[in-house]
Amino acid sequence: MTQLNNRFSTFFLIALMVFLLGCASTSKQEGTGEYFDDTVVTTKVKAEILNEPSLKSAEINVETFKGVVQLSGFVNSQADINKAVEIVRRVNGVKSVKNDMRVK
């Protein structure tokens, strides 16, 4: 019976290690916790852009990876780009902003 318990314990530990390593992040893939953190940051950023009446939020795309927010899309002026970047930098959880927006 002891041998059976040892095998079960060994199997359980291996399964637990595989599960935990599957949730870990790499340089190109987020871990589970980071994915949810980035989803929250993206939602906050979209809400802040939506609350800015001078920006057309439907034309600005927001993506977040490990706290780095990428903005893309087309806006009416360089001032709109500057305003969007300024708004995003103030959002809690944003580590940096990558600006790929273009003027129409």
Side-chain angles (χ1 to χ4, degrees):
M1 193 66 148
T2 304
Q3 187 178 16
L4 182 61
N5 283 339
N6 280 343
R7 285 185 180 177
F8 178 74
S9 295
T10 302
F11 174 76
F12 179 75
L13 287 174
I14 291 171
L16 182 62
M17 286 177 56
V18 167
F19 174 75
L20 291 176
L21 290 174
C23 293
S25 67
T26 64
S27 63
K28 296 185 182 203
Q29 184 177 2
E30 294 175 305
T32 306
E34 290 171 319
Y35 175 78
F36 288 114
D37 292 344
D38 285 343
T39 302
V40 170
V41 169
T42 299
T43 302
K44 288 179 183 178
V45 167
K46 287 181 178 181
E48 290 298 318
I49 289 173
L50 184 65
N51 286 333
E52 177 57 45
S54 66
L55 296 175
K56 292 185 178 181
S57 60
E59 296 180 2
I60 299 174
N61 302 312
V62 179
E63 293 182 30
T64 308
F65 182 72
K66 294 187 177 188
V68 177
V69 176
Q70 179 177 350
L71 300 175
S72 60
F74 294 94
V75 293
N76 292 327
S77 68
Q78 184 62 44
D80 287 349
I81 291 174
N82 297 342
K83 184 69 172 175
V85 170
E86 175 189 328
I87 288 169
V88 173
R89 285 193 175 131
R90 292 189 307 226
V91 174
N92 191 21
V94 173
K95 293 179 182 174
S96 66
V97 179
K98 182 178 178 187
N99 175 22
D100 289 330
M101 291 183 289
R102 304 284 181 249
V103 177
K104 290 183 193 177

